[in-house]
Amino acid sequence: EFHDAITQGQFVPFFQPIIDLHRDTLAGAEVLARWEHPTHGSIPPDRFIAPIEEFGLMNELTETILFNGIKAINQITRQDHQPVNLSVNVSPSILLEPGFAERFVSTILKAGGSPKDIKIELTESVAFAGIERIMRVLTRLRIEGIKISIDDFGTGYSSLTALHQLPFSDLKIDRSFTGTIIHDAEAEKIVQSLIDLAHSLGLVVVAEGVETAEIIDLLKQKNC
């Protein structure tokens, strides 16, 4: 059923906007998969990502969402005459599959996209896959112009190792910190420290889980 759902186009792209807080403009969008099931309706990723991994279908799903996401973003671009950077989540398990970088770039080009407008999001658990092996793949992608973001930063155990040794361009602060900074002084200190750390390394900082004007104002003050 999972295989048929991919080939029949039941997995579709949804988009989460990424906003530039200092210009109040659209800086990009993260593409997220939803399964539009003919019987059960719209199914979120937490229901299907684990079995997709288990059955070895993550590559197919990633390429499908990347291709369809670029096609949809290109329609927006044609209407607004402004390129939109697209972020896509990539599982560390498929990064080391033979030919991944070549297939990924090929999918971008087939969809009518440009590698420089694409960003890959990786969780910090990528470090457990082996820094040297991952480095070769990420360097190949960076040479093509693809940006690399470390996602959900601060929630794992190998953050600084990955940040130090891998060619990241962006750092995403996990919503468990940003969502509580108004009422949690410790979380606010952590967010400020992560912003300062990222900027000192020349990285762009993205905060997840921003849902109120209060949080926006505080993040602007912190130069996120």
Side-chain angles (χ1 to χ4, degrees):
E1 187 175 10
F2 281 112
H3 179 269
D4 290 345
I6 294 174
T7 58
Q8 293 169 11
Q10 293 176 17
F11 287 98
V12 299
F14 275 47
F15 297 95
Q16 172 117 18
I18 300 171
I19 305 299
D20 185 324
L21 292 183
H22 304 287
R23 296 186 179 92
D24 289 325
T25 56
L26 185 68
E30 179 180 357
V31 60
L32 305 165
R34 293 290 185 274
W35 185 2
E36 296 299 333
H37 195 283
T39 304
H40 303 294
S42 186
I43 300 176
D46 60 351
R47 297 278 303 281
F48 60 76
I49 289 297
I52 286 285
E53 288 263 24
E54 180 184 348
F55 298 138
L57 295 170
M58 186 56 74
N59 232 328
E60 288 86 344
L61 177 62
T62 301
E63 291 179 9
T64 295
I65 294 302
L66 175 64
F67 184 89
N68 293 332
I70 291 173
K71 286 287 190 183
I73 286 294
N74 283 348
Q75 291 181 350
I76 297 172
T77 301
R78 282 194 292 270
Q79 293 170 10
D80 297 346
H81 307 290
Q82 182 176 344
V84 176
N85 292 307
L86 188 66
S87 298
V88 59
N89 292 286
V90 172
S91 168
S93 67
I94 66 174
L95 270 178
L96 297 178
E97 291 188 7
F100 168 79
E102 289 75 14
R103 286 196 310 273
F104 194 84
V105 172
S106 176
T107 300
I108 294 170
L109 298 176
K110 286 178 182 176
S114 171
K116 67 179 178 58
D117 295 329
I118 303 298
K119 183 187 302 177
I120 284 179
E121 295 194 3
L122 297 167
T123 60
E124 58 200 44
S125 63
V126 69
F128 290 112
I131 291 290
E132 289 186 5
R133 296 170 68 199
I134 289 292
M135 173 67 85
R136 288 194 291 271
V137 180
L138 296 190
T139 300
R140 170 83 170 83
L141 294 168
R142 290 288 280 146
I143 288 172
E144 293 289 343
I146 295 169
K147 293 178 278 294
I148 312 292
S149 176
I150 184 166
D151 197 7
D152 300 334
F153 190 80
T155 58
Y157 299 102
S158 56
S159 310
L160 293 178
T161 300
L163 197 61
H164 176 228
Q165 298 191 35
L166 297 175
F168 291 107
S169 57
D170 296 59
L171 181 150
K172 291 185 76 176
I173 302 175
D174 188 69
R175 66 188 304 119
S176 61
F177 300 118
T178 55
T180 60
I181 57 174
I182 297 298
H183 308 293
D184 186 336
E186 296 300 319
E188 182 182 355
K189 291 174 184 176
I190 290 172
V191 168
Q192 183 67 69
S193 297
L194 293 178
I195 291 171
D196 293 341
L197 171 64
H199 285 168
S200 70
L201 295 173
L203 305 179
V204 174
V205 188
V206 178
E208 295 183 311
V210 179
E211 298 184 1
T212 70
E214 281 183 296
I215 294 177
I216 289 175
D217 290 341
L218 188 53
L219 288 172
K220 282 182 178 179
Q221 294 173 27
K222 295 182 179 301
N223 201 27
C224 184

